[in-house]
Amino acid sequence: MTVDEVKALAAGVRAEVAKAVVGQEDTVDLLLTALFARGHVLLEGPPGVAKTFLAQCFARTLGLDFGRIQFTPDLMPADIIGSNVFNFQTSTFSLTEGPLFCELLLADEVNRTPPKTQAALLEAMQERRVTIDGKTRPLSPRFMVVATQNPLEQQGTYPLPEAQLDRFLFKQTLGYPSREEERRIVAEYGVQAGHVDPAARGVSRAVTAKQLDEAHKAVAAVRLTDEIVGYVLDLVRSTRETPDLASGASPRAAAQLALAARSRAALDGRDYAIPDDVKALALPVLRHRVILSPAAEIDGRRPDQILQGLVDLAAAPR
């Protein structure tokens, strides 16, 4: 598959999602970038901005085996990954697979469950496998997590630990729509009650499993010059040197930023990455991997402000 074909695939997915979701074009682009880079996405925003519905529509366009977990405070790790259950008829144990055994997992309100249950996702997200009673079971190579969370200021939430946040390729913050977009939402969805099925809105499959596998190979073949690699390193390492951040981004962040830049290049129909790819993805890749210094917190500064300043200061290759 060529990068032009990858671009055409992405355009088809965008068109299908747009049949049901009003706006959120930047978020759809990030989901596509993560999909072709084999990464996971964390969506954060207030209730009612279509985080869950967007993930459902995105999954339908891909035709992947879809699973959903509604995280609650009483959810246990075995409820996610499954467990061995004793069969009295055969006097043997048999594995009952949890909802984690799918290709695209919607982890809804992931920060409403305690850290013990959140940690059940770690091995699956990093290595695409799970361990149950000492035995390892592989997941699909196309396994992808789209997690949603409410802002931590809301009651009944548990902050995700840094180790788990580092497993997400992107963190995207969804805000409220513009007035015109909200007018369309009210006009289109204010005439019916209950859940809206993406299929009822005409959302259909736009990518086959074979095309998705070929797209992954096309992204892996995108060229990354030494200058772009150096630019990524300079940007990531600057997060560890600024006094505004108590903790900077990890080497994993640098590797994933480079991979995401390759994926974005392919989505634009290019077989080479450019500095603009790195600049466009720097904030969603890094914002959840840094910790503000106490002084920056007192000043009321946000990670995005500090990261954008570092992006502006970093010298991009010509």
Side-chain angles (χ1 to χ4, degrees), residues 94-166:
S94 59
L95 176 64
T96 300
E97 295 182 344
L100 192 66
F101 286 86
C102 62
E103 292 180 312
L104 195 151
L105 174 68
L106 171 59
D108 213 5
E109 295 187 310
V110 67
N111 63 332
R112 287 201 178 277
T113 200
K116 180 179 181 180
T117 305
Q118 293 172 358
L121 287 173
L122 278 176
E123 184 181 14
M125 293 175 64
Q126 181 63 28
E127 303 175 30
R128 288 180 170 80
R129 67 182 189 184
V130 296
T131 302
I132 303 175
D133 292 342
K135 293 185 178 180
T136 300
R137 294 180 60 86
L139 298 173
S140 168
R142 293 184 287 273
F143 178 73
M144 176 181 179
V145 175
V146 178
T148 71
Q149 71 172 12
N150 293 326
L152 294 180
E153 291 79 7
Q154 298 192 9
Q155 295 183 355
T157 57
Y158 299 82
L160 291 175
E162 287 78 8
Q164 184 158 359
L165 286 172
D166 203 35

Side-chain angles (χ1 to χ4, degrees), residues 8 19 59 126 156 182 218-219 232 246 253 289 292-295 303 314:
K19 293 178 180 178
Q126 181 63 28
E182 195 163 4
V219 169
V232 170
R289 292 183 162 98
L292 290 175
S293 67

